[in-house]
Amino acid sequence: AHLQPFTGAAIFPCAVGCVTEARRRRPATSRPVCASAGWQASSSAGCVALVAMATRRALHFVFKVGNRFQTARFFRDVLGMKILRHEEFEEGCKATCNGPYDGKWSKTMVGFGPEDDHFVAELTYNYGIGHYKLGNDFMGITLASSQAVSNARKLEWPLNEVTEGVFEIKAPGGYKFYLQNHNPPQSDPILKVTLAVSDLKKSLYYWSNLLGMKIYEKNEEKGRALLGYADNQCKLELQGIKGRVDHAAAFGRIAFSCPQKELLDLEDLMKRENQKILTPLVSLDTPGKATVQVVILADPDGHEICFVGDEAFRELSKMDPEGSKLLDDAMAADKSDEWFARHKKSKASG
């Protein structure tokens, strides 16, 4: 079944700096729940917390890309997004922002506006890897933009109308986007991110009871639910599927921000609830930019979730007017495609 149209509002979090780490531990005498940070104890889940929705925002979704040139063309020329910032790294991120790879890579943030008030995409490119096998975990991003539909037609990018006024389009690598053929209801055209889940009830407990998201819509018959932190933010749609969720090699990551003081409490909550923590609280440095603190979690189906301290992230994520040029220069300097073609070889698969 195709995704259901949604006309809500938007925002989502995780383009963090990546060089060194310095883990911080909570003193043994610290209180288990921080009421001042907006947590409320829940007796039904043994100090399970609901977070004040006003303090959190959705930042971005992370995609692994194998063809950086065609991917940039899709996001810039078809969807109409802007390059917000671009960074090159000589070694893998200690919070695995680029996946389980330790070589040279780049990160490009693209969106319809500044990261402070727009949900954006993080494009991670690992040099030497040309393809990532898709799973069934990521089901699409829905956005409202008649201009994107017009751009796709003009550039003869394949469009498939799945329901009246809603078109499915694929980015290089096979990632699906759903374009609503009308102007956005708010400043950010991105409306929702849809992820597959194997047990909707279990997932709703995790995302709503533990992570504090509001349930905006729920349809048990269709096995779907729509959640978010605010009316004017990008929503998260959970769509039930039969069988297990397969992340394969192309798995992404969704990012959110919260006040830095909530990160330790969030980590402690997940420990008490016996939930998976992929990366405990860690500081990540980007030379010349703000140091941010992050916690990387995994939901019951293994979807990766990054929570980053909001205050430092706002400094790190400021738009770089040279971002587009930096990306173009990096692509021009990357001769790997020519080398592989000349030697009649294929790039590795992720």
Side-chain angles (χ1 to χ4, degrees):
H2 60 74
L3 305 184
Q4 299 296 313
F6 167 68
T7 54
I11 311 179
F12 263 30
C14 185
V16 297
C18 314
V19 176
T20 60
E21 66 177 56
R23 295 183 178 179
R24 299 179 60 180
R25 295 299 177 204
R26 169 187 296 280
T29 56
S30 294
R31 52 185 171 166
V33 176
C34 179
S36 64
W39 301 85
Q40 293 180 323
S42 169
S43 58
S44 63
C47 281
V48 172
L50 290 177
V51 181
M53 289 174 59
T55 66
R56 297 188 174 183
R57 59 191 182 103
L59 301 179
H60 56 257
F61 192 86
V62 182
F63 294 98
K64 298 188 188 75
V65 304
N67 187 321
R68 190 164 51 170
F69 180 82
Q70 287 297 330
T71 299
R73 180 170 179 259
F74 174 79
F75 281 93
R76 280 196 288 203
D77 300 341
V78 179
L79 296 187
M81 291 184 178
K82 303 173 183 177
I83 305 299
L84 304 175
R85 52 191 173 102
H86 176 80
E87 297 158 2
E88 295 278 329
F89 299 90
E90 293 300 321
E91 59 183 23
C93 171
K94 287 183 169 60
T96 63
C97 303
N98 62 313
Y101 309 99
D102 58 9
K104 183 178 180 181
W105 67 288
S106 73
K107 172 174 64 182
T108 308
M109 307 304 296
V110 295
F112 289 103
E115 293 178 65
D116 270 1
D117 52 13
H118 289 76
F119 185 79
V120 308
E122 176 179 334
L123 311 177
T124 62
Y125 172 72
N126 291 289
Y127 284 80
I129 298 181
H131 177 264
Y132 298 91
K133 182 181 178 181
L134 286 173
N136 62 2
D137 52 344
F138 174 78
M139 300 186 73
I141 284 180
T142 299
L143 60 102
S145 173
S146 56
Q147 185 60 55
V149 175
S150 176
N151 292 343
R153 287 171 172 162
K154 182 179 179 180
L155 295 171
E156 298 184 346
W157 203 284
L159 282 173
N160 176 33
E161 190 168 17
V162 293
T163 190
E164 185 176 357
V166 179
F167 297 85
E168 179 186 285
I169 189 171
K170 291 183 180 179
Y175 303 111
K176 293 180 180 180
F177 287 74
Y178 293 87
L179 310 181
Q180 296 181 5
N181 194 17
H182 59 77
N183 293 326
Q186 70 283 326
S187 61
D188 187 354
I190 298 183
L191 304 178
K192 65 179 179 180
V193 177
T194 304
L195 301 179
V197 298
S198 60
D199 185 328
L200 183 60
K201 183 177 181 181
K202 184 183 294 185
S203 294
L204 283 175
Y205 174 81
Y206 183 91
W207 288 93
S208 181
N209 291 48
L210 299 186
L211 294 186
M213 276 191 162
K214 175 183 176 180
I215 299 175
Y216 283 84
E217 299 175 14
K218 182 180 177 182
N219 188 323
E220 293 184 358
E221 183 179 342
K222 294 184 178 180
R224 65 177 290 271
L226 192 72
L227 303 93
Y229 281 124
D231 295 350
N232 66 338
Q233 291 189 19
C234 177
K235 303 300 185 295
L236 172 66
E237 182 178 54
L238 304 177
Q239 177 62 61
I241 63 171
K242 294 182 179 180
R244 72 182 187 89
V245 175
D246 177 17
H247 297 277
F251 67 90
R253 175 183 289 177
I254 195 165
F256 303 87
S257 70
C258 67
Q260 182 173 310
K261 62 185 179 182
E262 290 184 9
L263 291 172
L264 277 172
D265 293 298
L266 180 60
E267 181 178 324
D268 284 353
L269 172 66
M270 293 302 163
K271 289 178 180 176
R272 294 195 303 273
E273 289 288 311
N274 295 315
Q275 300 293 335
K276 185 174 291 186
I277 300 173
L278 299 177
T279 303
L281 184 63
V282 61
S283 294
L284 300 175
D285 301 329
T286 297
K289 294 189 176 183
T291 295
V292 297
Q293 290 190 317
V294 304
V295 173
I296 311 296
L297 310 174
D299 81 348
D301 286 295
H303 291 292
E304 293 194 3
I305 309 156
C306 172
F307 272 92
V308 58
D310 187 75
E311 300 87 343
F313 183 78
R314 288 184 184 272
E315 289 296 316
L316 174 68
S317 63
K318 288 181 178 178
M319 184 174 177
D320 181 358
E322 296 295 314
S324 191
K325 182 179 184 300
L326 289 173
L327 171 61
D328 289 337
D329 289 348
M331 291 192 297
D334 181 6
K335 305 297 182 182
S336 59
D337 286 340
E338 296 175 16
W339 186 93
F340 280 99
R342 188 167 59 249
H343 291 80
K344 298 180 180 180
K345 295 182 177 181
S346 298
K347 284 188 173 182
S349 294

